[in-house]
Amino acid sequence: MRRARFWAGCPVRPTFRKQMPSPLPKGADVKMRPASLNPLFASLRDLNGVGERLEEALGRLTGATPDQPPRVINLLWHFPTGVIDRRERPAIADVVSGNLVTLNVVVKAHRAPPPSVTRAPYKVICEDDTGRIELVFFHADRRYLQRMLPVGERRIISGRAQAYGKHLQMTHPDHIAPESDQEAIPLLEPVYPLGQGVSQRAVRNAARQAVARVPDLPEWLDRDFVAAQDWPAFRRALEILHMPRDDIDMAAAGKARKRLACDELLSSQLALALMRRRFRRLSGRATTGTGERASQIRAALPFKLTGAQERAVAEILSDMAAPHRMLRLLQGDVGSGKTLVALLAMAGAVEAGGQAALMAPTEVLARQHYKTIAEMGAAAGLRVALLTGRESGPGRETTLKAIKQGQADIVVGTHALFQADVEFRDLALAVIDEQHRFGVYQRLALQAKGNGGVDILVATATPIPRTLMMTHYGDMDVSVLDEKPPGRKPVTTRALPVERIHDVIEAVRRTLKSGAQVFWVCPLVESSDVAPATAAEERAAHLRQHFGDQVGLVHGRMKGADRDAVMNAFAAGELGVLVSTTVIEVGVDVPNASVMVIEHAERFGLAQLHQLRGRVGRGAAQATCLLLYQGPLSETAEARLKALRDTDDGFKIAEEDLRLRGGGEILGAKQSGDPGFRVARLPEDSEVLEAARDQVKLLLERDPRLEGPQGAAARACLYLFERDAAIRTVRAG
Ligand code: ADP
Ligand code: MG
């Protein structure tokens, strides 16, 4: 009996935090984690000053998921983007107007506004030996101010000073402290990216405590290398970034980040090497189908397979028939017909007496695949089951039983397929449809999964140039669908400045009149204060003024069932316009949708724009993609939009993307707002990646089982970056 449980525990959390629950069971492998790291994996609530609300807000900010509540460690990777320097401490007479200053003063008098003029500010007059400054407060809480600034007392105040004629003022000082409590005013104050419900003060306070919990860890990098780079130790690097003390620290911030990037890349490269090693040692099984079911499926198709599809099917089936374990990538542009290829492969597995699983990255995609596969598979009598996180109760029990007893030939689902209670009678082939969502680690983690040789086929719409393949995936075999089904018309693509949104709305109006439908994509707002869903919500409200209740909205914060209801209504044609954020199911198939509007197109990566565009042009109508951009465009953004207008070929686009952005981002999920890495940035850190790779090689030559001091240190690094599954492979073998 083969259990899906062997698949659990892949170190994939970081790559799809926002979209989906992690397949990693809670608390995986905590028993093996060095105890000194536990305080870092404690809940955020453990920190002083963090209550339920703040925990939730910080969780959102640092990328927690529903099944993975925010932990202290998440804060470590949430770096400040700048530092406020309060070290200028002049006498009042020497204050330069407009500067941020910290002053030692004596409180002289309070001046409340006359009761009739409630809007006038409350003022507190302060002096030192050289001059006077007025502290200005609007909407003041008098009692608070009287307590903070008692007349006759000495205080330290910090804030921006401004001269108005002869008067010097400071409106709402950032800090006020008694002279005896110098420490209360941080002279170098980190500035963090914020989110809803989180103040600078709160993040600072929490981050400080988080850093304080980091133990002194033995060095896992090569000492000579660290010395040559002049890098700080791991803990010190975090201190430099989160709690800079002086100019030396500030100057070292770049090196500190590089060091941590190297640590993260080391952990990823090490995990990759360990899993590959393990995969090589596992044997596979030979799965040979009869071709019977496949012929029935083919016979029922209203079209013929493209040459590329035929080639891919043949390659996959011959891989499956070989006694080694298959790990093959099926690469094909959007619309190239990967689903059918996957189905024919799965039919082969079933013919050989096994079962097949297809895992989709999202609920909606899983349901869509289920529908397609069940319909096409019906011709061959294939019994197809659906299993997602949403199935529950008796229905779920029945499905589980069918899977276990082999009454389900093919199981389509989400990560729910990885759950421990999912047991297959005989799983022979697993297809992972990733549509850009899963990161490199997921794929590699798969190598370590499976028992007795589950063959693995990974379908991806991201065309990946060969060189990148080798560096990032290792020796994965590839089948390429480089030919689209006949009769596809290229999507007409236009780029427009956002000022011309009215033209776009008119185009939408015409489209709706013609009976076709429109996707309207708003990007995630990455920065500070705006909640990700806001842009989409506002746009939907705006479009409703024009098109009333024909407008639907989906975004990542909605409940799954609500989201599905909207998606289904759109797919059924009950809605004319679907406004969404990109976290939403870009892979969903609605042939009647002929217009794709992408707002802030300049913020998207080229490959992602291409993906989104691929959502239209699947039906008979001429499709249009309208790229709305906010000028002025950077050179790269302009080149991206141009490339998109110039070609419809995913491989050409991938090459252009590579040229424009370097390799990392094509593979990393960054472009979908999905932090593949927490610290490292590719391609900027590619030289660090090289270094990390060399270090891993050295380490594994010297200490293949990670038993010596440096090996043990490296294990800690794996835990810190949550590559726990890789550690299991060391133990296994
Ligand atoms: P992908 O997953 O690669 O984006 P799909 O598998 O969803 O593409 O296929 C896109 C559409 O093309 C589907 O409607 C499918 O039925 C259709 N299709 C697949 N193969 C062919 C073919 N050989 N000829 C015509 N249409 C095809
Ligand atoms: Mg598909």
Side-chain angles (χ1 to χ4, degrees):
M1 198 170 291
R2 250 167 227 121
R3 307 178 112 235
R5 198 150 58 76
F6 288 102
W7 296 28
C10 26
V12 289
R13 226 165 312 161
T15 57
F16 51 98
R17 278 188 280 187
K18 293 214 173 110
Q19 287 87 13
M20 64 197 70
S22 155
L24 197 67
K26 269 177 227 169
D29 236 18
V30 281
K31 274 184 257 116
M32 300 302 297
R33 183 196 292 148
S36 65
L37 298 182
N38 288 344
L40 293 174
F41 289 90
S43 145
L44 270 184
R45 289 284 277 284
D46 242 32
L47 300 177
N48 289 330
V50 181
E52 194 178 335
R53 282 246 198 97
L54 185 56
E55 178 190 39
E56 205 189 303
L58 285 174
R60 272 202 303 273
L61 193 59
T62 58
T65 55
D67 71 320
Q68 175 70 81
R71 298 145 311 153
V72 172
I73 193 156
N74 297 60
L75 274 174
L76 292 184
W77 319 128
H78 187 66
F79 296 127
T81 47
V83 175
I84 298 176
D85 189 343
R86 305 186 179 279
R87 290 176 300 171
E88 193 177 322
R89 309 192 62 169
I92 290 177
D94 299 330
V95 168
V96 177
S97 176
N99 278 13
L100 193 63
V101 292
T102 301
L103 305 172
N104 287 48
V105 298
V106 180
V107 180
K108 283 294 173 187
H110 281 237
R111 299 253 167 84
S116 55
V117 205
T118 47
R119 289 228 206 98
Y122 187 101
K123 291 185 182 173
V124 179
I125 313 302
C126 297
E127 289 182 0
D128 68 4
D129 294 342
T130 68
R132 136 185 305 225
I133 186 164
E134 291 176 2
L135 310 186
V136 179
F137 299 90
F138 292 92
H139 311 290
D141 173 348
R142 290 172 193 216
R143 270 200 280 169
Y144 171 76
L145 291 177
Q146 273 154 7
R147 191 154 32 87
M148 290 298 285
L149 295 158
V151 173
E153 295 283 314
R154 296 196 151 272
R155 285 288 179 269
I156 304 174
I157 54 170
S158 186
R160 200 165 293 284
Q162 199 76 49
Y164 293 99
K166 275 187 285 177
H167 294 283
L168 192 62
Q169 290 191 340
M170 185 184 288
T171 306
H172 293 173
D174 303 325
H175 295 278
I176 302 172
E179 211 168 34
S180 57
D181 195 12
Q182 288 273 0
E183 296 296 302
I185 301 186
L187 294 181
L188 287 175
E189 204 171 32
V191 181
Y192 290 90
L194 296 180
Q196 230 173 15
V198 189
S199 67
Q200 277 300 343
R201 192 182 291 259
V203 185
R204 265 178 219 141
N205 169 40
R208 243 172 195 286
Q209 295 179 60
V211 175
R213 285 178 172 225
V214 180
D216 270 320
L217 295 163
E219 183 59 78
W220 44 75
L221 297 175
D222 182 71
R223 278 171 204 283
D224 293 340
F225 174 72
V226 173
Q229 298 294 318
D230 191 22
W231 280 351
F234 176 75
R235 178 172 209 277
R236 185 76 194 103
L238 287 164
E239 285 173 354
I240 287 170
L241 290 169
H242 287 283
M243 300 141 78
R245 287 183 307 220
D246 49 27
D247 286 331
I248 300 176
D249 281 0
M250 303 234 286
K255 287 189 170 168
R257 201 200 60 78
K258 278 273 179 213
R259 198 238 131 95
L260 296 174
C262 187
D263 294 336
E264 181 171 44
L265 292 166
L266 177 94
S267 77
S268 77
Q269 291 292 307
L270 180 56
L272 198 154
L274 291 173
M275 290 194 268
R276 214 177 278 160
R277 189 174 76 185
R278 171 137 171 76
F279 189 69
R280 291 235 172 83
R281 291 183 189 165
L282 295 171
S283 59
R285 66 191 279 186
T287 302
T288 315
T290 57
E292 192 189 335
R293 307 248 195 176
S295 329
Q296 289 165 336
I297 293 170
R298 284 165 181 267
L301 291 174
F303 49 74
K304 276 172 64 177
L305 268 66
T306 63
Q309 282 172 317
E310 290 289 6
R311 217 177 319 120
V313 171
E315 283 165 357
I316 294 164
L317 291 179
S318 96
D319 249 10
M320 286 167 60
H324 65 245
R325 181 175 308 204
M326 174 172 83
L327 181 62
R328 182 171 280 276
L329 192 66
L330 174 62
Q331 250 185 41
D333 211 349
V334 278
S336 58
K338 294 184 290 294
T339 316
L340 178 57
V341 173
L343 174 62
L344 292 172
M346 293 194 288
V350 176
E351 285 159 8
Q355 289 168 295
L358 188 154
M359 189 177 91
T362 65
E363 183 85 26
V364 170
L365 280 175
R367 286 174 192 281
Q368 185 175 304
H369 277 316
Y370 169 70
K371 199 165 156 259
T372 320
I373 300 277
E375 277 167 11
M376 287 202 280
L382 291 172
R383 296 163 300 177
V384 185
L386 174 70
L387 191 73
T388 75
R390 206 82 55 67
E391 270 71 45
S392 61
R396 181 184 160 84
E397 288 307 313
T398 314
T399 305
L400 287 178
K401 220 168 121 196
I403 298 171
K404 187 172 174 178
Q405 299 181 344
Q407 287 120 2
D409 299 315
I410 295 177
V411 188
V412 180
T414 56
H415 283 85
L417 288 179
F418 288 151
Q419 273 155 15
D421 60 346
V422 183
E423 283 179 39
F424 286 84
R425 188 181 61 78
D426 186 14
L427 183 61
L429 169 68
V431 181
I432 317 290
D433 179 8
E434 59 169 22
Q435 300 276 8
H436 241 278
R437 300 294 182 89
F438 299 111
V440 175
Y441 290 100
Q442 175 111 37
R443 301 167 197 133
L444 289 161
L446 285 170
Q447 298 189 357
K449 288 175 190 174
N451 177 30
V454 177
D455 283 325
I456 290 172
L457 178 68
V458 179
T460 175
T462 319
I464 303 157
R466 184 75 197 158
T467 43
L468 269 183
M469 276 290 308
M470 291 307 291
T471 16
H472 291 258
Y473 292 73
D475 332 324
M476 208 160 167
D477 298 306
V478 193
S479 294
V480 181
L481 298 182
D482 49 7
E483 185 184 343
K484 285 203 180 169
R488 294 272 164 84
K489 289 177 229 151
V491 178
T492 308
T493 304
R494 292 172 58 202
L496 301 160
V498 69
E499 288 75 25
R500 290 186 54 197
I501 192 161
H502 298 292
D503 296 348
V504 175
I505 286 174
E506 285 319 304
V508 170
R509 196 185 303 284
R510 286 192 298 275
T511 308
L512 293 177
K513 248 198 200 128
S514 77
Q517 290 164 285
V518 177
F519 282 109
W520 190 301
V521 176
C522 301
L524 283 177
V525 181
E526 279 194 17
S527 70
S528 63
D529 299 11
V530 193
T534 315
E537 267 161 10
E538 280 171 8
R539 180 57 68 211
H542 171 224
L543 291 175
R544 279 193 186 114
Q545 291 172 8
H546 292 273
F547 308 116
D549 55 12
Q550 291 186 80
V551 180
L553 168 68
V554 281
H555 58 71
R557 300 249 178 281
M558 285 165 74
K559 280 212 199 78
D562 297 345
R563 210 157 48 170
D564 285 359
V566 179
M567 296 296 311
N568 291 338
F570 185 69
E574 291 153 25
L575 292 168
V577 183
L578 184 72
V579 180
S580 72
T581 55
T582 46
V583 288
I584 296 306
E585 334 295 347
V586 288
V588 75
D589 210 358
V590 181
N592 190 42
S594 68
V595 174
M596 166 67 67
V597 182
I598 304 174
E599 262 191 85
H600 280 295
E602 78 281 359
R603 292 192 197 160
F604 288 95
L606 189 47
Q608 199 185 12
L609 288 170
H610 178 65
Q611 286 277 304
L612 288 168
R613 176 171 66 178
R615 294 300 116 210
V616 294
R618 303 186 152 214
Q622 172 62 50
T624 310
C625 176
L626 300 173
L627 304 166
L628 273 173
Y629 63 85
Q630 177 91 60
L633 288 177
S634 71
E635 230 170 84
T636 322
E638 197 168 328
R640 253 186 253 148
L641 298 187
K642 180 173 175 339
L644 213 63
R645 270 178 286 145
D646 290 351
T647 178
D648 202 25
D649 178 331
F651 283 86
K652 280 206 191 114
I653 285 185
E655 269 158 34
E656 183 65 9
D657 207 14
L658 184 62
R659 200 180 65 72
L660 289 173
R661 295 152 39 101
E665 298 222 7
I666 294 183
L667 295 172
K670 275 195 182 141
Q671 43 190 300
S672 52
D674 190 358
F677 288 113
R678 295 139 181 207
V679 184
R681 293 192 291 249
L682 292 165
E684 296 96 303
D685 291 327
S686 35
E687 90 285 2
V688 185
L689 174 66
E690 294 294 329
R693 197 151 7 123
D694 291 347
Q695 299 245 335
V696 165
K697 242 174 146 181
L698 265 178
L699 176 64
L700 288 179
E701 272 165 26
R702 282 189 215 147
D703 186 2
R705 293 182 65 87
L706 304 182
E707 286 160 336
Q710 207 195 338
R715 282 175 190 239
C717 180
L718 287 172
Y719 279 111
L720 279 170
F721 291 98
E722 296 172 68
R723 315 280 188 219
D724 303 26
I727 299 177
R728 270 194 293 274
T729 71
V730 182
R731 276 188 276 131

